[in-house]
């Protein structure tokens, strides 16, 4: 069975037309994973048996002549920091190596209600901290476009699984770019929703004020389908929100669109070929009738330092629960006292990047430094949000590169955390401001994909999806 490039809509049509059954489709993916994933290592664990029995259930519905939802019987992959009841959920950390999720994340419940098939859990940087998936405790994932290169991160396993046709679509999470950057590196579509659009219940927390779950798909329409199911208010996450009449796909067409191009996002240090491709893409919009306006987001230079205070601070608090008592790995037997349990379990369970972030965060939150670092960063976060609010009075969307480079080689940046952090320079502001943004392929450089980032106003996912779709479909 041909799985290459199969979309959710394509698979749905195939199921309804009885070209294949849900069991056959699931079997085909599982067989492809078995063969291809030795090289790519997108998956940390597979859910074969459960997936096949879920698929058999959908086939029953189909043969009974029942109408099925567009997502019913569609095989997907889930980033391994999102809980799926009864499956191992490790966050790619040794500390959770044998942790089995006792319940479903809300987005999973919603997808299961649609009849989704979960093939397995995908690799990530440990606790979603990283930009290359090399920080996984279980070995890196490779980019299906070039196996010598990283798929990006931290949702690298999900992006690689979609690109490698190892699933029809996947879920990722984005705290500072972890959906968009791997989508850009792999050549797929990734949406980071407005903060609060998707419930974070059942997502292993990294930085709670920035984390969002979102879809990674093969095209824009699939992204829309998945987002529409997972978004919305959830009583289990008090930061989730239902925007009512907002988020409408009605409104402007490309012809009367005003695109803002932030000058701070076209800076030295960015690969000139990436800039050229992104500028060419923006030109296409201009030729299609859109007005393009240079804008300024003056606090951009503070975004990265601000993010690397806030994210580790929140992480250090969130990760305090992994203490060798409540969850996962425990060195209780070898410890002499309680403190020793903590030290031994955490020292062994967490990898170097996680330990680095905990130290940074604990330092930034410690008394005497709290005002100087955390409080100040929170103020800068506000200024960054205000920058966006101001320009959004004049423009409908903002366009920029996703990342300064294409996918880099494995090992190239692992030893240099600062170099690694730089790959987030165009993505972190969006999380700090709580905005929605999409990354989708706008071209290639020597066989390596480049993503275009479209940032929208709060709750305007549908607008950015529509604008991105015009490019994808060649309407402009
Ligand atoms: N690369 C960023 C970091 O390491 C973003 C990670 C993410 O979005 N989860 O923090």
């Amino acid at each position: 069975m041909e799985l290459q490039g199969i979309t959710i809509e394509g698979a749905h049509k195939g199921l309804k037309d009885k070209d294949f059954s849900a069991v056959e489709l699931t079997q085909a993916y599982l067989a492809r994973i078995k063969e291809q994933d030795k090289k790519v290592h997108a998956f940390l664990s597979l859910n074969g048996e459960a997936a096949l029995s879920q698929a058999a259930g959908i086939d029953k519905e189909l043969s009974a002549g029942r109408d099925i939802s567009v997502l019913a019987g569609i095989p997907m992959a889930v980033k391994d920091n999102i809980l799926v009841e009864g499956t191992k959920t490790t966050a790619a950390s040794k500390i959770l190596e044998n942790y089995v999720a006792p319940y479903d994340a809300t987005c999973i419940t919603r997808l299961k209600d649609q009849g989704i098939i979960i093939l397995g859990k995908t690799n990530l940087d440990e606790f979603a901290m990283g930009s290359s998936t090399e920080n996984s405790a279980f070995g890196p994932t490779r980019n299906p476009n070039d196996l010598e290169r990283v798929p990006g991160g931290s949702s690298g396993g999900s992006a690689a699984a979609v690109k490698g046709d190892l699933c029809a679509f996947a879920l990722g999470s984005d705290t500072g770019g972890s959906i968009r950057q791997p989508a850009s590196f792999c050549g797929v579509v990734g949406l980071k929703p407005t903060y609060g659009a998707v419930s974070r219940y059942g997502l292993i927390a990294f930085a709670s004020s920035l984390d969002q779950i979102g879809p990674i798909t093969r095209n824009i329409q699939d992204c829309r389908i998945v987002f529409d199911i997972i978004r919305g208010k959830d009583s289990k996450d008090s930061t989730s929100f239902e925007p009512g009449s907002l988020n409408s796909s009605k409104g402007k067409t490309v012809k009367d669109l005003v695109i803002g191009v932030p000058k701070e996002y076209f800076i030295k240090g960015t690969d000139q070929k990436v800039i050229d491709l992104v500028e060419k893409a923006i030109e296409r919009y201009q030729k299609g009738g859109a007005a393009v306006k240079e804008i300024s987001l003056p606090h951009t230079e503070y975004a990265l330092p601000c993010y690397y205070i806030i994210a580790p601070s929140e992480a250090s608090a969130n990760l305090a629960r992994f203490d060798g008592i409540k969850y996962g790995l425990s060195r209780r037997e070898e410890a002499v006292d309680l403190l020793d349990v903590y030290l031994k379990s955490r020292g062994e369970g967490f990898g170097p990047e996680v330990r680095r972030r905990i130290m940074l965060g604990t330092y930034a939150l410690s008394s005497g430094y709290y005002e100087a670092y955390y409080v100040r960063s929170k103020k800068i976060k506000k200024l960054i949000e205000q920058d966006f609010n101001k320009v959004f009075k004049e423009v409908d969307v903002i366009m920029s590169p996703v990342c300064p480079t294409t996918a880099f080689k494995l090992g190239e940046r692992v030893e240099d955390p600062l170099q690694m952090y730089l790959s987030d320079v165009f993505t972190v502001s969006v999380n700090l401001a709580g905005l929605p943004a999409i990354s989708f392929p706008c071209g290639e450089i020597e066989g390596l994909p480049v993503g275009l980032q479209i940032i929208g106003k709060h709750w305007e996912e549908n607008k950015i999806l529509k604008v991105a779709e015009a490019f994808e479909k060649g309407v402009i």
Side-chain angles (χ1 to χ4, degrees):
M1 188 177 164
E2 191 51 76
L3 292 174
Q4 243 107 346
I6 215 170
T7 59
I8 293 174
E9 282 199 308
H12 178 63
K13 189 169 179 307
L15 288 172
K16 283 201 51 158
D17 294 350
K18 304 220 173 342
D19 297 340
F20 44 77
S21 67
V23 167
E24 282 166 347
L25 182 64
T26 306
Q27 273 168 341
Y29 274 115
L30 290 170
R32 188 170 164 83
I33 293 168
K34 204 167 165 204
E35 174 204 313
Q36 295 288 321
D37 211 36
K38 282 187 217 113
K39 293 181 281 183
V40 178
H41 192 227
F43 284 88
L44 288 179
S45 58
L46 288 174
N47 204 21
E49 248 173 66
L52 286 169
S53 85
Q54 283 160 351
I58 301 298
D59 285 337
K60 254 200 205 140
E61 300 268 316
L62 277 167
S63 50
R66 285 199 201 104
D67 210 18
I68 57 163
S69 113
V70 66
L71 284 168
I74 308 294
M76 69 171 294
V78 180
K79 186 175 179 179
D80 206 21
N81 60 350
I82 299 172
L83 305 197
V84 176
E85 188 183 340
T87 70
K88 254 197 342 184
T89 302
T90 66
S93 180
K94 257 172 58 188
I95 210 156
L96 288 177
E97 191 166 6
N98 297 311
Y99 177 70
V100 175
Y103 59 89
D104 281 327
T106 296
C107 59
I108 298 296
T109 308
R110 292 187 178 174
L111 286 164
K112 280 186 175 172
D113 286 346
Q114 300 294 309
I116 207 76
I117 312 289
I118 296 174
L119 293 169
K121 307 295 295 293
T122 54
N123 202 6
L124 64 150
D125 289 295
E126 186 175 356
F127 286 103
M129 296 172 189
S131 308
S132 68
T133 316
E134 291 168 293
N135 293 339
S136 166
F138 309 116
T141 297
R142 290 167 184 270
N143 190 321
N145 297 287
D146 176 347
L147 294 174
E148 296 303 305
R149 292 179 187 268
V150 301
S154 63
S155 313
S158 286
V162 174
K163 182 64 193 181
D165 297 299
L166 305 177
C167 60
F169 77 95
L171 286 182
S173 67
D174 192 313
T175 305
S178 277
I179 289 178
R180 288 159 288 154
Q181 188 254 24
S184 176
F185 279 12
C186 289
V188 293
V189 176
L191 175 71
K192 181 263 164 202
T194 305
Y195 183 74
V198 179
S199 167
R200 290 179 292 108
Y201 182 73
L203 169 69
I204 296 179
F206 165 11
S208 310
S209 71
L210 308 170
D211 298 340
Q212 266 295 286
I213 295 172
I216 298 181
T217 59
R218 207 152 277 131
N219 67 14
I220 306 287
Q221 175 58 9
D222 282 1
C223 189
R224 186 181 284 131
I225 292 172
V226 178
F227 176 62
D228 276 343
I229 297 301
I230 61 175
R231 74 183 184 86
K233 174 97 190 125
D234 173 20
S235 58
K236 296 183 182 124
D237 173 5
S238 59
T239 61
S240 67
F241 185 69
E242 182 74 56
S245 64
L246 293 173
N247 226 328
S248 141
S249 63
K250 286 188 224 88
K252 300 198 170 185
T253 59
V254 169
K255 273 200 175 48
D256 44 23
L257 197 71
V258 183
I259 299 170
V261 180
K263 60 172 192 240
E264 292 84 1
Y265 283 55
F266 292 79
I267 44 166
K268 247 192 24 227
T270 305
D271 184 341
Q272 189 55 42
K273 289 183 188 145
V274 170
I275 293 191
D276 291 347
L277 261 184
V278 168
E279 284 181 341
K280 240 171 71 198
I282 297 173
E283 243 173 65
R284 256 177 69 182
Y285 281 98
Q286 201 167 18
K287 286 196 183 124
V292 175
K293 202 168 167 175
E294 191 188 79
I295 54 165
S296 174
L297 298 164
H299 294 94
T300 301
E301 65 172 304
Y302 306 113
L304 213 50
C306 169
Y307 171 84
Y308 276 99
I309 297 287
I310 292 178
S313 297
E314 294 183 13
S316 73
N318 275 327
L319 268 53
R321 73 190 63 173
F322 304 106
D323 57 3
I325 305 279
K326 300 187 199 73
Y327 299 90
L329 182 116
S330 179
R331 288 285 169 257
R332 189 171 349 197
E333 277 82 37
E334 294 113 77
V336 292
D337 56 20
L338 185 60
L339 180 64
D340 205 30
V341 180
Y342 297 161
L343 296 177
K344 285 208 165 78
S345 308
R346 288 166 67 84
E348 248 179 72
F350 291 136
E353 182 61 26
V354 176
R355 291 205 298 268
R356 185 177 299 125
R357 305 255 183 143
I358 291 173
M359 284 193 282
L360 275 171
T362 316
Y363 179 80
L365 291 179
S366 57
S367 108
Y369 294 108
Y370 175 77
E371 305 283 334
Y373 292 111
Y374 189 70
V375 172
R376 185 162 277 231
S377 297
K378 281 290 206 189
K379 286 183 185 155
I380 294 171
K381 181 177 188 279
K382 202 79 217 146
L383 293 173
I384 289 169
E385 197 180 328
Q386 282 166 3
D387 280 357
F388 280 105
N389 290 344
K390 200 162 146 213
V391 301
F392 274 133
K393 291 204 175 100
E394 296 168 26
V395 304
D396 299 299
V397 293
I398 294 171
M399 292 190 185
S400 80
V402 178
C403 186
T405 62
T406 50
F408 42 89
K409 292 220 163 99
L410 264 95
E412 209 175 282
R413 299 193 185 182
V414 227
E415 299 305 328
D416 186 350
L418 281 183
Q419 195 59 25
M420 193 71 96
Y421 296 171
L422 278 177
S423 83
D424 307 327
V425 63
F426 301 140
T427 48
V428 292
S429 298
V430 165
N431 301 72
L432 291 168
L435 297 166
I438 195 166
S439 166
F440 64 99
C442 72
E444 280 184 0
I445 299 168
E446 288 144 27
L448 296 174
V450 173
L452 174 66
Q453 174 166 247
I454 305 186
I455 307 168
K457 296 178 195 170
H458 290 109
W459 311 106
E460 292 208 338
E461 282 84 356
N462 281 330
K463 185 186 280 173
I464 57 179
L465 287 165
K466 191 170 162 189
V467 175
E469 199 163 46
F471 187 97
E472 183 189 82
K473 292 208 161 143
V475 180
I476 48 135

